[in-house]
Amino acid sequence: MCVIRIRLGILGADDSLPIIQSVVEEYKEFVCLPVVYWNESEILDLIRPLASEVDMWLFSGQVPYSIAKQSGEIEVPLFYVPHTGASLYRTLLQAYYTNQIPISQLSFDTYERGEVERLLEEADIKEPVPHIKHYEGGISAQELASYHYDLWRQGKTKAAVTCLRTAHLEMEKMGMPVYRVLPARSAVEAVVQTIIRTGEMLHVQDAQVAVQMIEVDSMMITSPEAFSTDEIYKMELKATEKLLQYTKKVQGSLKCAGPGRYVIFTTRGALKEMTASYKTIPSEEEMAHLYDEIVACGIGIGRTAYEAEIQAGKAFLHAKHCGRGAWMVAFDDGTIAGPLGKGERIRYSLGDEELRQLASRTSLSAATLGKLQAVLRKRGKNEIEAHELAVYMGILPRSARRILKELEAAGLAEAIGETSPYPRGRPRKVYRIFL
């Protein structure tokens, strides 16, 4: 059986990264790209340059994982090593063995209270755990350090137990006793097995059928003097020849679907590679210098050729709305992404049940609300003004204003202020969105 090769980015603190890397390197499926971080604010800047070199990311804990996930920028699978019971047992043993500190005089973070109590019960340790700061997602090192420090300064605890390295370093600067929970090898191995299974699944997915629907207009590059039918026919033949060259590069087959419209049947993996995981459009050389003639392109992913062709049609129609030369991708999970190669590229739902219910309160479609939701997620906040929304959605500012006013009328948005980008321009209303 062929062994899959996974380019795995591993991002962790200086003390946890070597532990994780030593386990991962025991598996022949991985090519490791280790990255050390010292501050949560630099995580995305460390990840971005490796976007095209990494198939999946493994993080040393839930904080860096949450920062990457919530950014909406990372489109490959993400994993993190949980701080399991084995990790905590080791730390508690260290605290008691070195300084005889009872559990009741320690402050903890990350874990849920019930989780710690259950671990102690399994070890037949009957001590209260009064000080735990549980959190979901990300948290700042300063907030965690302040929580532990305040308890220690008040004499309620003798030391802290933290899962976050940056908080650990912060507390050491403050001069308080602190113990760091490091990942257990067993926890790393469990996550590694999940990553391998995910890689195998994605390998199978790459063999799925993908369909590319392209519309070309050869007359756009024809000079006014060359409007004879013979000249136009020659231009169409030339465009078809270029498409055949491109089709060969994606190992597909070309089919004419009407005047100026073509369908290419290929595989998901081929188009994924050609578009850098659906982020960019192929280079001019890869497209056989066909750029000027492309009106719109839609890529469809599906479990069958028929389903992929239907998805390609949806993507194609969305591309037409985005302007000449736009590329869009419709996936088999009901989401659509694009325009490829643009800074305002987003991935949004074509309409789940919740969005359909919200759409029923307005004249807007569930797809429009899904696009708006994706824009807000990419921006990292739920406040926006019409001109910004127009840029992201590829529509006119007046259309964006209509969307925002429609949401406001339905109670799904409120005007919270104004901004004046130009000294003499009219102020622009800023809206807070409630989806």
Side-chain angles (χ1 to χ4, degrees), residues 190-245:
V191 177
V192 165
Q193 290 297 329
T194 302
I195 294 172
I196 291 172
R197 287 195 296 273
T198 302
E200 290 169 347
M201 179 191 71
L202 292 175
H203 184 67
V204 172
Q205 273 189 353
D206 281 347
Q208 273 185 304
V209 176
V211 173
Q212 190 169 3
M213 190 175 288
I214 298 177
E215 183 178 324
V216 298
D217 185 357
S218 303
M219 292 180 69
M220 290 298 296
I221 59 169
T222 306
S223 65
E225 294 79 21
F227 267 16
S228 74
T229 53
D230 286 346
E231 288 297 325
I232 293 171
Y233 181 63
K234 286 179 183 177
M235 296 302 294
E236 288 177 348
L237 284 177
K238 199 166 186 180
T240 305
E241 186 182 328
K242 291 178 181 179
L243 276 171
L244 283 169
Q245 292 176 36

Side-chain angles (χ1 to χ4, degrees), residues 420-426:
S420 299
Y422 305 107
R424 296 186 180 182
R426 289 174 57 190

Side-chain angles (χ1 to χ4, degrees), residues 1 13 27 40 67 98 159 162 220 246 319 339 342 361 371 434:
M1 184 177 175
Y27 292 81
E40 282 73 26
I67 290 170
T98 56
T162 184
M220 290 298 296
Y246 168 72
K342 304 290 184 182
R361 295 162 53 182
K371 191 180 289 190
F434 309 109

